[in-house]
Amino acid sequence: NNIKDIKNIKELEIYIKESISCALKKQAKSTVLGEGNINSSIMFIGEAPGAEEDKLGKPFVGAAGQLLSKMLNSIDIDRKGIYISNILPWRPPNNRTPTNEEIIECLPFIQKIVEIISPKLIVLLGATASKAILNSNVSISNLRGKWHKYQSINYNKKVDCLVTYHPAFLLRSPNFKKQSWEDLKMLKKKIENEKL
């Protein structure tokens, strides 16, 4: 079974559950691929599932997820209307930051999800998502505030990407919420301009 032949999220889930074996997967309770509207033109990508997400098998259900929902509501986005995923489908032990090896190992999955959802805009939440998707080592404070392009080997469309802070980071460092709000306003403007 080849990841290239996969046509939808369900097939990808089966493929990951049946064909992939790695240390991260073995210690996680759930494989958390994503959730939301698969026909959405807007996709959000975070880092990895946390404890709550691992337990429930859904992305962004803990405190960070609640903050994300509030952030979306503030710019009139219904969370159910967009698609939300993570770079890693498995929770790293003790919510530690994923290693470069783990990110590289899981990158084909998120690339495939982007290919399936085929969004017009991607919002990257946090440094791990930004570095992985944009293939960049630039700090998040230098990446945010402007639009970037995402393209991968198997996906010839260029997708506009916006970088902002991860809600979990904002919970720990609320003084960055103001900058995050600027990013959300940029997103709202783009959605309105492109009638998404």
Side-chain angles (χ1 to χ4, degrees), residues 169-187:
F169 171 76
L170 295 175
L171 289 171
R172 294 191 303 270
S173 314
N175 50 320
F176 283 91
K177 281 185 179 173
K178 191 168 173 281
Q179 286 169 295
S180 190
W181 173 237
E182 296 302 320
D183 300 334
L184 289 171
K185 286 194 289 193
M186 264 181 81
L187 174 63

Side-chain angles (χ1 to χ4, degrees), residues 140-154:
I140 188 164
S141 53
N142 289 328
L143 287 172
R144 55 169 295 280
K146 47 190 170 285
W147 287 95
H148 303 269
K149 293 280 184 200
Y150 164 75
Q151 201 174 5
S152 75
I153 299 160
N154 303 314

Side-chain angles (χ1 to χ4, degrees), residues 18-125:
E18 290 176 2
S19 313
I20 304 295
S21 75
C22 69
L24 261 190
K25 182 182 173 186
K26 286 190 183 86
Q27 57 79 43
K29 289 189 186 82
S30 310
T31 295
V32 184
L33 277 190
E35 184 180 55
N37 178 3
I38 54 166
N39 301 310
S40 178
S41 50
I42 304 163
M43 187 171 167
F44 276 64
I45 302 174
E47 180 177 298
E52 285 295 304
E53 289 76 11
D54 187 39
K55 198 163 74 190
L56 297 170
K58 292 177 175 183
F60 285 95
V61 286
Q66 287 158 14
L67 178 57
L68 178 62
S69 296
K70 280 185 191 149
M71 288 161 72
L72 293 170
N73 290 341
S74 74
I75 55 163
D76 306 314
I77 294 179
D78 179 5
R79 181 175 163 156
K80 290 188 190 75
I82 59 168
Y83 195 82
I84 302 176
S85 190
N86 281 305
I87 296 296
L88 270 65
W90 303 292
R91 178 194 180 208
N94 305 318
N95 290 355
R96 66 163 168 73
T97 302
T99 65
N100 284 342
E101 290 72 35
E102 287 163 352
I103 292 167
I104 290 162
E105 195 171 10
C106 295
L107 206 52
F109 311 144
I110 191 66
Q111 287 174 338
K112 190 72 198 184
I113 293 172
V114 170
E115 208 179 304
I116 292 166
I117 303 295
S118 188
K120 303 258 186 344
L121 302 179
I122 297 175
V123 179
L124 300 167
L125 300 167

